[in-house]
Amino acid sequence: MNGKTIELDLTRAGIAIPTRAYQSRIDEIDLAMREKRGAGSDYLGWFDYPLTYDKKEHELLKKTAAHIRQDYEVLVVAGIGGSYLGARAAIEALNGLFPGKGPEIVFLGQTLDPDYIHDALEYIKGKRFAVNVISKSGTTTETSLAFRLLREMAEARYGKAGARDAIVATTDKKSGALLTLAKEEGYVRFVLPSDIGGRYSVQTPVGLFPIAVAGIGPTAILEGSKKAMEELESPSLEENTAYLYALARHLLYKEHAMKSELLVTYKPQLVQLGEWWKQLFGESEGKEGKSLFPTSCTFTTDLHSLGQFIQDGERSFFETILHVEEPNSDLEIPSDEDNLDGLNYLSGKKMSYVQNKAYEGTLAAHSEVAKRPNLVLKTRKLGAFELGYLFYFFERACAMSAYLNGLNPFNQPGVEVYKRNMFHLLGKPGY
Ligand code: PA5
């Protein structure tokens, strides 16, 4: 696998991967995706989106984002699930948790909690805020409620015409309540193509507009995804790391009694990437009583909470570690005359050196001592390009994985059950 932007190391997977036995099944699924056949094939637009995206719209996206960056202090992103997790994951991963410059990005529309909504609205009250409302259906309760409040606030603050400048809507190309409203009000509109579902939409304006307002190059994300497409062109398991990853997790599930996959990173700024990944796999695969339960952890932080369990607890889960080899910035550990903390043995060493030793020690502890399967995804660094690559890599792996399980990766029938109950209890007409 050497030479790939993101490498997959299966030396600690602890299982044999009979690639030859699976190649023809993988080839069949791959061909069906390329030819847009098979379950859920109406939602395969993401497959070649890094090539087919609307270049004119992309220019408008960058221009509008520059305007918002210039004229507003806060961008409120109103969306839920696939309509916000990718943007949040990218913004935190790349700008960190203490960005300090450029417009602040606030997320709303992903909860019904009155305290959170109240506090967020209070927080933006005195600030010059813009809004990006994102909803494919345009009818999602959490998002629509938040947007109703935000729109009212924007119109009260800036007037109707001013609100038009402050509100950007991202929605389905052809249908939905938000599309109708956005057209009527004359908001700038971006398109979530009809053949792309929410959890596969981070490379569309759904993710890219908030990402661009946060000062991250949206084109670099798309370029990274395009590179992944190129590197994953061949379905051969000798070449295609996404399919090999899908197969490894499939075998762990089917033949080695694994029930859950723990995505591990060593960066607190990747917690939201874990949330995005959980939605991608959870909503794509959690069907018909099947599939791995996707969960995530941040090391070394969680080694001090869940570390005991991961080392010694229940056997039925494996780890997938996303290892970023080089940090964007590093620190040298100072020497201390008194050495009361006993840390002088590290003086002059870099923080990245300490973190790497923690990584190596943990990998050995979990894979060699605990005999827990560890799959390792490695990237030299993590910038917008690598993140774009990673998004596409996981999308492709996830679709393959669901198909290997005999599932439609692109629907989410289970999500409707709570909604029906809630609507009935709320007295929504028709429920
Ligand atoms: O992945 C999905 O399809 C879901 O998570 C949706 O993105 C989420 O439910 C939000 O839907 P909508 O964009 O229609 O408001």
Side-chain angles (χ1 to χ4, degrees):
M1 289 313 148
N2 284 343
K4 302 277 189 211
T5 306
I6 301 218
E7 290 183 19
L8 173 64
D9 180 353
L10 295 178
T11 52
R12 289 169 186 270
I15 57 163
I17 318 250
T19 48
R20 281 215 190 135
Y22 277 88
Q23 189 62 62
S24 60
R25 177 87 188 102
I26 297 270
D27 288 347
E28 264 171 41
I29 297 171
D30 177 80
L31 189 63
M33 281 201 270
R34 281 170 204 276
E35 293 180 348
K36 305 222 157 94
R37 293 187 274 111
S41 58
D42 287 353
Y43 285 92
L44 275 160
W46 58 273
F47 193 92
D48 46 14
Y49 187 83
L51 297 178
T52 60
Y53 71 92
D54 182 337
K55 316 292 179 297
K56 238 167 101 185
E57 183 187 49
H58 191 65
E59 288 312 307
L60 177 66
L61 183 150
K62 288 195 281 188
K63 211 172 118 197
T64 312
H67 163 59
I68 301 287
R69 277 178 69 71
Q70 171 105 16
D71 285 6
Y72 294 88
E73 291 170 90
V74 173
L75 175 72
V76 185
V77 174
I80 193 167
S83 289
Y84 98 105
L85 281 165
R88 186 163 187 185
I91 292 166
E92 291 200 4
L94 300 173
N95 284 358
L97 301 175
F98 311 99
K101 56 179 187 285
E104 188 182 350
I105 314 295
V106 167
F107 294 93
L108 204 62
Q110 84 289 32
T111 179
L112 293 172
D113 183 59
D115 289 329
Y116 181 94
I117 299 168
H118 168 267
D119 293 354
L121 295 179
E122 280 298 306
Y123 181 73
I124 63 168
K125 218 175 222 168
K127 302 185 169 68
R128 221 179 129 69
F129 68 91
V131 177
N132 180 202
V133 54
I134 309 173
S135 179
K136 187 174 173 74
S137 61
T139 53
T140 302
T141 313
E142 291 86 342
T143 305
S144 305
L145 281 173
F147 184 54
R148 182 180 274 215
L149 294 163
L150 285 165
R151 199 173 126 219
E152 193 184 81
M153 226 171 124
E155 287 178 0
R157 166 118 186 227
Y158 309 122
K160 266 264 185 217
R164 194 168 299 135
D165 184 74
I167 296 174
V168 172
T170 308
T171 188
D172 191 82
K173 188 173 187 166
K174 296 181 201 141
S175 61
L178 181 58
L179 180 67
T180 312
L181 177 72
K183 276 185 179 165
E184 261 175 31
E185 297 293 331
Y187 302 145
V188 171
R189 272 184 288 129
F190 294 115
V191 170
L192 170 52
S194 305
D195 58 358
I196 301 183
R199 58 191 175 275
Y200 291 80
S201 72
V202 55
Q203 297 100 328
T204 74
V206 166
L208 294 188
F209 182 68
I211 285 171
V213 174
I216 299 160
T219 316
I221 301 268
L222 281 165
E223 284 299 315
S225 292
K226 186 163 152 249
K227 180 75 172 171
M229 255 190 96
E230 286 161 12
E231 289 190 5
L232 303 172
E233 173 60 20
S234 163
S236 163
L237 288 161
E238 301 294 320
E239 290 288 324
N240 194 311
T241 42
Y243 291 171
L244 188 60
Y245 166 60
L247 178 60
R249 59 195 300 289
H250 179 71
L251 292 168
L252 284 162
Y253 170 65
K254 274 290 211 213
E255 292 174 17
H256 298 272
M258 293 291 137
K259 299 269 179 253
S260 179
E261 177 178 12
L262 178 64
L263 182 76
V264 173
T265 75
Y266 277 73
K267 290 177 173 292
Q269 54 281 28
L270 296 187
V271 166
Q272 292 299 324
L273 183 67
E275 296 302 307
W276 173 84
W277 176 89
K278 285 192 286 199
Q279 188 210 359
L280 179 68
F281 280 91
E283 217 169 46
S284 298
E285 288 198 301
K287 289 161 202 172
E288 301 178 20
K290 294 188 197 167
S291 300
L292 291 161
F293 180 74
T295 183
S296 62
C297 254
T298 310
F299 291 173
T300 59
T301 314
D302 295 332
L303 290 175
H304 295 256
S305 58
L306 288 170
Q308 169 62 37
F309 195 106
I310 299 167
Q311 187 71 42
D312 270 348
E314 235 279 328
R315 309 312 306 154
S316 63
F317 65 93
F318 66 95
E319 292 170 67
T320 295
I321 299 108
L322 175 62
H323 179 52
V324 183
E325 288 172 346
E326 290 172 16
N328 294 325
S329 38
D330 213 343
L331 306 157
E332 190 173 300
I333 297 163
S335 165
D336 185 276
E337 211 174 296
D338 299 329
N339 194 29
L340 290 175
D341 53 12
L343 287 173
N344 272 357
Y345 76 104
L346 293 174
S347 297
K349 296 269 193 303
K350 298 279 193 204
M351 197 57 94
S352 58
Y353 168 83
V354 180
Q355 192 187 44
N356 268 325
K357 295 300 163 204
Y359 160 73
E360 286 167 20
T362 307
L363 196 59
H366 292 181
S367 63
E368 289 166 25
V369 182
K371 303 270 182 261
R372 199 176 281 294
N374 273 224
L375 320 183
V376 183
L377 287 167
K378 286 186 199 163
T379 175
R380 194 170 62 74
K381 59 189 189 94
L382 191 61
F385 180 84
E386 290 78 16
L387 194 63
Y389 188 107
L390 204 57
F391 283 139
Y392 188 85
F393 172 93
F394 279 132
E395 287 163 2
R396 199 65 179 264
C398 182
M400 175 55 73
S401 190
Y403 281 132
L404 281 171
N405 253 335
L407 299 165
N408 175 352
F410 308 119
N411 64 358
Q412 51 282 328
V415 185
E416 299 310 313
V417 185
Y418 98 89
K419 287 187 195 168
R420 273 199 305 273
N421 287 349
M422 177 178 79
F423 292 149
H424 175 72
L425 293 168
L426 287 170
K428 184 172 175 168
Y431 291 82

